[in-house]
Amino acid sequence: MLRTQFEEDLLNLHNQFYEMGMSVSSAVHKSVRSYIEHDKHLAQEVIDNDNEINNMEVKLEKKSFEMIALQQPVTTDLRTIITIMKASSDLERMGDHAVSVAKSTIRLKGMPRILEVEQVISEMSDYVKKMVDNVLIAYVKTDEKDARMIAKMDERVNEYFKKIYKMTTDTMEQQSDTIISGTDYLNVASYLERIGDYVTNICEWIVYLASGKITELNSNRDEQF
């Protein structure tokens, strides 16, 4: 394989990864919007589009293995391919959590709502989507500094989750008719919190791509090995 062909394939991998990321960002946004607005048609759209996201990951992985086998890349090129493979797996899982939120929308059957909690879930969703969009830009720029900053944003996601948990459980204790919808709120907040964790994973892969070091972010140990 000629070097120019390899570089073209690598560029295509970059572009496909970014496209997959944008699809996941859209899925996250639509899934929570469908949940807050009780829009089952929009929720079904998220569920139906998940196959496309899964197929994107499969194509990226297949092409990555093919390039490693044929070109036997080393140093930066190899790190790039590994980063795309690992980060696309994280994106796929983020898409799965968006589907879980959408399925919660499908299950809604006119149960009593806690509007204050829904407002915080909406804010949490907007913040998580911002993290997803920012990490894609950091990936394109291979920006280690931005990746570390975005990983730090996950602390606020955890704060959102704690706030939703307290608001919801307090209301459930006082109003037993909100137990079913409250449990759903906790699940949705948990899905969003996990998406934030996967964004942090991608940040770690960006740091690896930029520095060659595997670094655990958002940990008291902040180990490098």
Side-chain angles (χ1 to χ4, degrees):
M1 185 188 293
L2 295 174
R3 175 69 194 178
T4 51
Q5 181 62 53
F6 177 81
E7 289 174 350
E8 183 178 328
D9 288 344
L10 203 55
L11 179 60
N12 287 336
L13 271 188
H14 278 299
N15 292 339
Q16 288 170 31
F17 175 82
Y18 186 79
E19 181 183 349
M20 181 182 179
M22 293 304 294
S23 295
V24 169
S25 175
S26 175
V28 171
H29 178 68
K30 287 180 178 179
S31 65
V32 177
R33 203 177 92 210
S34 73
Y35 185 79
I36 300 299
E37 298 176 5
H38 293 200
D39 188 337
K40 296 188 177 183
H41 293 293
L42 187 59
Q44 191 61 50
E45 181 183 323
V46 173
I47 294 168
D48 292 343
N49 287 346
D50 190 52
N51 278 339
E52 182 181 342
I53 291 173
N54 294 341
N55 289 337
M56 286 179 176
E57 193 217 353
V58 170
K59 285 172 64 178
L60 279 169
E61 186 177 76
K62 183 179 178 182
K63 186 61 179 178
S64 296
F65 279 128
E66 179 184 303
M67 291 174 68
I68 291 172
L70 294 178
Q71 187 72 7
Q72 298 181 348
V74 294
T75 60
T76 304
D77 289 338
L78 182 58
R79 290 208 306 268
T80 298
I81 295 174
I82 291 173
T83 296
I84 291 173
M85 288 176 62
K86 294 292 187 178
S88 63
S89 177
D90 289 323
L91 284 178
E92 192 274 332
R93 292 187 180 99
M94 289 157 64
D96 287 343
H97 285 303
V99 168
S100 295
V101 174
K103 287 180 177 177
S104 293
T105 302
I106 301 292
R107 287 196 303 268
L108 283 175
K109 293 182 179 179
M111 301 304 297
R113 300 165 62 183
I114 311 172
L115 297 181
E116 296 84 358
V117 173
E118 291 189 4
Q119 177 59 39
V120 181
I121 288 176
S122 180
E123 292 172 9
M124 183 181 185
S125 165
D126 289 343
Y127 191 78
V128 168
K129 184 181 183 297
K130 181 179 177 182
M131 286 180 67
V132 176
D133 292 343
N134 286 352
V135 83
L136 293 174
I137 295 171
Y139 165 79
V140 169
K141 298 191 298 182
T142 318
D143 194 322
E144 179 179 352
K145 182 180 178 182
D146 276 3
R148 290 179 179 275
M149 289 174 58
I150 294 163
K152 287 293 183 185
M153 292 173 68
D154 192 46
E155 294 173 4
R156 186 170 172 188
V157 175
N158 295 334
E159 290 172 4
Y160 271 122
F161 178 79
K162 291 175 184 175
K163 182 177 181 180
I164 291 167
Y165 183 87
K166 186 175 189 314
M167 290 174 66
T168 303
T169 53
D170 285 351
T171 304
M172 289 164 69
E173 286 175 3
Q174 296 166 11
Q175 304 173 36
S176 60
D177 62 344
T178 63
I179 288 177
I180 294 177
S181 56
T183 301
D184 246 354
Y185 292 145
L186 295 178
N187 286 335
V188 170
S190 177
Y191 299 141
L192 289 173
E193 192 268 339
R194 289 297 296 142
I195 291 172
D197 289 341
Y198 285 123
V199 171
T200 299
N201 287 353
I202 295 177
C203 289
E204 292 174 354
W205 287 113
I206 292 170
V207 172
Y208 166 72
L209 179 59
S211 68
K213 297 177 182 178
I214 297 178
T215 306
E216 186 174 354
L217 302 177
N218 293 354
S219 167
N220 292 330
R221 293 167 294 156
D222 194 29
E223 290 181 330
Q224 294 188 347
F225 55 94

